[in-house]
Amino acid sequence: MVTEYLKGRIAISHNGNIINAAALREKLRRAGCDFNATTDSEVVSSLIAYEILQGGGFEEAIVKAAKQLRGAYTLLVLGSGDRLCALRDPSGFRPLCLGRSNHGWAVASESCALDSAGFDFLRDVQPGELITIDGRGRMSSRMALGPAKLGMCLFEYVYFARTDSVIDSLSVYEARYRMGEVLAREHPAKADVVCGVPDSGLEAAMGYAAQSGLPCVPGFVKNRYIGRSFIFPSQAQRDMAVRLKLSPLRVNVAGKRVVLVDDSIVRGTTGAKIVSSLKAAGAREVHLRISSPPFYHTCYFGTDIGDEENLIANRLSHDEITTSMGADSLGYISIEGLKSACSGCSLPFCDGCFTGRYPLDAVEQSKTQFEQ
Ligand code: SF4
């Protein structure tokens, strides 16, 4: 988001969600700011620009602005001068890491981005930490925000992050593999093969297979040109994306009892389509195993889970969900099991969408309400 203001312009990159964005936008409107978009990121950039105009320097303006933000934010802020600042909110909801190469510095949400761009991973940016990189390549850092109740997003390890990332000292691959091991212990199944739903179910499927002694085989071929299906706004688009994205591998599933490992069930429609496609390809039984607990609550901190009334776990009983998915059995990992699989993370977790207990308690507004 690029914001022009009287003395120059700033560019920000924002991951997360600001829960008091509406109140801040109103305050800025009254101060004469114009808004062109419906995103909270624009509020963040305008607030920083506003604080720059109040005087006190670039970094101080960022810190002053950040102290007014409630919610999740990892930010990169590039000013008209020669400074790039990186900031992670004091709860540490979203990941942020620092890299170095002969060409300079890099800051990214995930370490896989540093690997791809030829940077060495140096370290995670800590919750509340502000990093400044100047035009001469000098890096400085200080704790600018907090302390606050910590809460790294547990769902990053289940689904969001890329498998080759290491976040807050924990390898996403290892975490997912262990989720599968835990699932196999918590919900064993009499089956012939284990298949993972690409992509974020694959490592959990490997862990499940290793723990249970069953062979792990590919159950689907994935169309590489389709993005994440949950991102599409309408159900019809999501259904179409699932159909185009995953094609069952008949040779591996026909006549077999299949343990199918997926990362989550949100509304239930995607999973049902995947199960029915396996059965249409000849699978004798499908035992669905899920590497996250049921979603009962929405997320106010940057994950698009949707409204609580649309979450299938709030609408149907366990048996009804199993039937509606067309599965022969269904098992979710427990919250304790999930946390034990992620025990290498250096931060405490946010698990609010599973438990209803969030690190920040006074939730003012959902992302959808703000956008509307
Ligand atoms: S509520 Fe769930 S998805 Fe949102 S930040 Fe917390 S753990 Fe992550």
Side-chain angles (χ1 to χ4, degrees):
M1 181 67 63
V2 177
T3 296
E4 309 257 358
Y5 62 103
L6 279 176
K7 290 184 183 166
R9 50 184 191 162
I10 57 169
I12 75 158
S13 172
H14 168 216
N15 181 21
N17 187 50
I18 306 300
I19 58 178
N20 63 338
L24 291 171
R25 186 165 61 180
E26 195 44 41
K27 169 187 151 169
L28 291 165
R29 253 195 222 290
R30 283 201 299 270
C33 294
D34 276 340
F35 290 90
N36 302 306
T38 57
T39 162
D40 56 348
S41 305
E42 187 182 32
V43 175
V44 177
S45 64
S46 297
L47 187 60
I48 294 170
Y50 173 82
E51 292 297 346
I52 293 173
L53 287 173
Q54 305 307 304
F58 184 58
E59 281 127 298
E60 280 323 303
I62 294 171
V63 173
K64 267 195 195 162
K67 284 183 174 165
Q68 298 168 62
L69 301 176
R70 283 177 43 74
Y73 50 95
T74 48
L75 293 172
L76 289 189
V77 190
L78 183 65
S80 299
D82 65 349
R83 249 138 231 269
L84 176 69
C85 287
L87 182 67
R88 187 174 181 187
D89 74 66
S91 292
F93 282 102
R94 300 286 156 207
L96 195 65
C97 64
L98 181 66
R100 182 97 218 237
S101 81
N102 293 337
H103 301 291
W105 299 91
V107 190
S109 284
E110 291 188 36
S111 61
C112 65
L114 302 178
D115 299 337
S116 307
F119 285 77
D120 293 327
F121 170 84
L122 279 187
R123 65 177 176 84
D124 295 295
V125 177
Q126 294 306 305
E129 185 179 7
L130 174 74
I131 287 188
T132 303
I133 297 157
D134 72 15
R136 293 193 186 166
R138 290 174 303 204
M139 190 277 283
S140 59
S141 144
R142 69 183 162 101
M143 295 307 291
L145 303 170
K149 189 162 183 204
L150 295 167
M152 165 65 194
C153 172
L154 187 52
F155 197 52
E156 289 272 355
Y157 291 105
V158 176
Y159 171 77
F160 247 126
R162 214 170 80 170
T163 314
D164 51 340
S165 284
V166 177
I167 295 176
D168 291 317
S169 310
L170 176 60
S171 150
V172 176
Y173 172 85
E174 281 179 2
R176 287 183 186 160
Y177 190 92
R178 275 190 230 128
M179 288 170 208
E181 293 178 322
V182 173
L183 256 180
R185 287 194 292 272
E186 292 186 343
H187 301 286
K190 285 196 177 117
D192 303 307
V193 293
V194 181
C195 300
V197 177
D199 288 316
S200 37
L202 295 177
E203 294 74 26
M206 285 185 236
Y208 193 104
Q211 180 69 36
S212 60
L214 295 169
C216 187
V217 298
F220 301 92
V221 172
K222 187 182 167 198
N223 181 329
R224 294 169 202 278
Y225 305 102
I226 307 271
R228 289 180 163 187
S229 51
F230 89 99
I231 284 170
F232 291 98
S234 77
Q235 191 57 51
Q237 286 170 300
R238 285 194 290 271
D239 291 349
M240 172 66 84
V242 173
R243 263 203 307 283
L244 292 174
K245 191 162 85 172
L246 296 176
S247 177
L249 208 46
R250 186 176 296 269
V251 68
N252 279 345
V253 299
K256 305 261 174 61
R257 297 171 301 171
V258 179
V259 172
L260 181 64
V261 183
D262 202 355
D263 55 75
S264 55
I265 301 178
V266 183
R267 304 172 193 88
T269 45
T270 304
K273 294 226 155 23
I274 292 170
V275 172
S276 81
S277 75
L278 273 193
K279 291 222 164 160
R284 196 145 54 91
E285 294 173 10
V286 177
H287 300 275
L288 197 52
R289 298 294 179 264
I290 306 297
S291 60
S292 63
F295 284 115
Y296 293 111
H297 307 276
T298 193
C299 173
Y300 298 94
F301 305 108
T303 304
D304 229 341
I305 290 172
D307 296 330
E308 294 186 359
E309 62 265 27
N310 292 328
L311 301 175
I312 195 167
N314 288 332
R315 294 193 291 109
L316 302 179
S317 69
H318 184 95
D319 287 349
E320 287 169 337
I321 296 172
T322 311
T323 306
S324 81
M325 306 291 283
D328 294 276
S329 73
L330 168 66
Y332 294 90
I333 198 170
S334 65
I335 187 74
E336 298 77 23
L338 176 57
K339 285 185 174 174
S340 75
C342 298
S343 58
C345 177
S346 55
L347 295 177
F349 291 114
C350 170
D351 57 14
C353 48
F354 308 120
T355 64
R357 292 186 295 274
Y358 304 92
L360 299 182
D361 42 26
V363 170
E364 284 149 49
Q365 193 170 45
S366 76
K367 176 174 171 288
T368 319
Q369 285 167 333
F370 176 78
E371 287 173 354
Q372 282 167 354

